[in-house]
Amino acid sequence: DGTFTNTAALTVSTDNLDVEGVATIGADITMETAAATVHFNTTVNATDTATLQNTFDGSTGAITFNGATTIAADKTFTVGDGDTGAISFSAITGPGNLTINSDYTAILTDAVGAATALGTLTLTSGNLNTNTLNITAGAITVNGGTFNSTSAAGTWDLSGDVTIASGAALNATSGT
């Protein structure tokens, strides 16, 4: 318990990182074991452009956000590096940007941008299961993988564009 703050790059060589107090992520966090898991059982504030990743090829380690995550204005928080296992997000708010990059499925367990609209929500690889939840953002960009992989309903309130790269997919919501 307490606070977790990283203002310089952090490399974690143990199997698990469990954070219970308020977490402030201001620099990259790199996990170095194949099955390493990261659990944020707390509020997370991404205060600078940062990446949370597992660099071990074929990683199966999960990344879980059980508390609200806020991304600062003009900053991008990237979760995964393409070899990351399953990712689970609770409430994510902006005004910054979120990039998801996983070989597996990222799952939303709470609305995105409910308190403050997210800037751009980007899927680089893997699948994003939106779980019938609402998304409020400036834009959605799908560079790879499948966005809304289960074709779930939900209200998507976007103030900007939806961009889908060749080879990527977005299953439209049956909501509004």
Side-chain angles (χ1 to χ4, degrees):
D1 291 338
T3 50
F4 169 87
T5 302
N6 80 304
T7 55
L10 172 67
T11 300
V12 180
S13 57
T14 62
D15 285 340
N16 300 308
L17 174 63
D18 293 308
V19 179
E20 300 293 334
V22 174
T24 301
I25 300 174
D28 295 348
I29 299 174
T30 302
M31 306 299 291
E32 287 193 327
T33 59
T37 61
V38 180
H39 301 283
F40 288 99
N41 300 312
T42 182
T43 299
V44 175
N45 297 303
T47 59
D48 208 337
T49 296
T51 300
L52 174 59
Q53 63 185 345
N54 188 324
T55 59
F56 192 94
D57 287 341
S59 171
T60 57
I63 299 173
T64 305
F65 295 88
N66 291 319
T69 300
T70 302
I71 304 169
D74 302 319
K75 306 300 178 188
T76 298
F77 185 39
T78 301
V79 180
D81 68 343
D83 282 322
T84 304
I87 301 170
S88 175
F89 292 101
S90 188
I92 304 282
T93 62
N97 309 303
L98 175 66
T99 298
I100 301 168
N101 186 11
S102 174
D103 281 349
Y104 294 87
T105 297
I107 299 171
L108 300 180
T109 61
D110 204 345
V112 171
T116 303
L118 201 61
T120 299
L121 177 56
T122 301
L123 180 65
T124 303
S125 66
N127 295 309
L128 176 61
N129 178 350
T130 61
N131 240 354
T132 70
L133 295 166
N134 298 339
I135 297 173
T136 304
I140 292 176
T141 300
V142 187
N143 292 328
T146 302
F147 193 100
N148 195 22
S149 58
T150 60
S151 300
T155 299
W156 297 355
D157 183 7
L158 306 174
S159 60
D161 295 332
V162 174
T163 305
I164 306 167
S166 177
L170 180 142
N171 295 326
T173 177
S174 59
T176 56

